[in-house]
Amino acid sequence: MTVKREAWLTYLALVPVVAGVIIASGGEPSFHLFGFIMCVGATAARALKSVLQGILLSSEGEKLNSMNLLLYMAPIAVVLLLPATIIMEDNVVGITIALAREDVKIIWYLLFNSSLAYFVNLTNFLVTKHTSALTLQVLGNAKGAVAVVISILIFKNPVSVTGMLGYAITVIGVILYSEAKKRSK
């Protein structure tokens, strides 16, 4: 979309990232084809969003910074996600109110979670502005591998040897991508 070309070494470094994700997905103990297709679609949508963010943040005509972009995107996200939450989550408002009556800490948890989401989005915009949408996507794959490791350590989620191999290849690919970007500068 931006007609920006990367060095051939950068594209070569993306091969293990993609291959690692594919291997890890295939080695998932609870793999389901529909879920995999939805993940691929979500990844493509996230990539499109990152590219559009990069265009808006780097465009000379728009003069948007990360805070302004977040200010414009947050209300749209609320308008889209709030009805979906109310429809898909049975009695979510009633349950939240009941939990808040039982323990006021739930309000603090929700505020803390909202603050983290704000900072994650702001950080994503800053990474996109100062690097590229491609770098943000590669970091997203690294974040996924780290999340799996944490879920194994904390929640004892099962993972196959194939899945572990796939995540290791993904991390190696992220490191190779980082090195390729350094060399291309």
Side-chain angles (χ1 to χ4, degrees):
M1 289 179 70
T2 62
V3 195
K4 181 182 174 191
R5 298 280 179 219
E6 296 285 342
W8 69 271
L9 198 57
T10 304
Y11 291 121
L12 190 63
L14 290 173
V15 172
V17 174
V18 174
V21 170
I22 291 169
I23 291 169
S25 297
E28 177 65 33
S30 54
F31 178 82
H32 193 276
L33 183 60
F34 180 72
F36 177 75
I37 291 169
M38 290 294 106
C39 273
V40 169
T43 301
R46 188 179 79 200
L48 176 63
K49 178 181 134 291
S50 296
V51 169
L52 293 175
Q53 281 171 200
I55 291 169
L56 289 171
L57 290 169
S58 64
S59 172
E60 290 298 321
E62 293 298 327
K63 300 291 184 205
L64 275 177
N65 61 32
S66 298
M67 288 294 291
N68 288 341
L69 184 57
L70 189 56
L71 179 68
Y72 291 128
M73 288 183 68
I76 295 168
V78 169
V79 167
L80 291 173
L81 294 175
L82 190 60
T85 301
I86 292 171
I87 291 168
M88 291 183 211
E89 300 284 339
D90 192 31
N91 194 22
V92 70
V93 176
I95 292 170
T96 304
I97 292 170
L99 286 171
R101 286 186 182 141
E102 288 177 22
D103 189 1
V104 179
K105 285 192 286 187
I106 190 78
I107 302 298
W108 292 109
Y109 294 149
L110 289 172
L111 288 172
F112 179 69
N113 188 34
S114 299
S115 299
L116 282 179
Y118 167 80
F119 285 115
V120 164
N121 282 307
L122 184 61
T123 304
N124 280 345
F125 294 161
L126 288 169
V127 167
T128 302
K129 180 177 179 116
H130 295 290
T131 59
S132 69
L134 179 60
T135 299
L136 183 66
Q137 295 306 304
V138 171
L139 288 173
N141 287 321
K143 180 182 74 173
V146 170
V148 167
V149 170
I150 290 172
S151 75
I152 292 167
L153 295 174
I154 294 175
F155 303 114
K156 310 290 188 240
N157 287 344
V159 65
S160 67
V161 174
T162 306
M164 289 173 77
L165 175 68
Y167 294 123
I169 292 171
T170 300
V171 170
I172 290 168
V174 169
I175 293 166
L176 291 173
Y177 173 81
S178 174
E179 288 300 315
K181 291 298 278 187
K182 283 180 193 174
R183 289 179 188 213
S184 68
K185 286 185 179 180

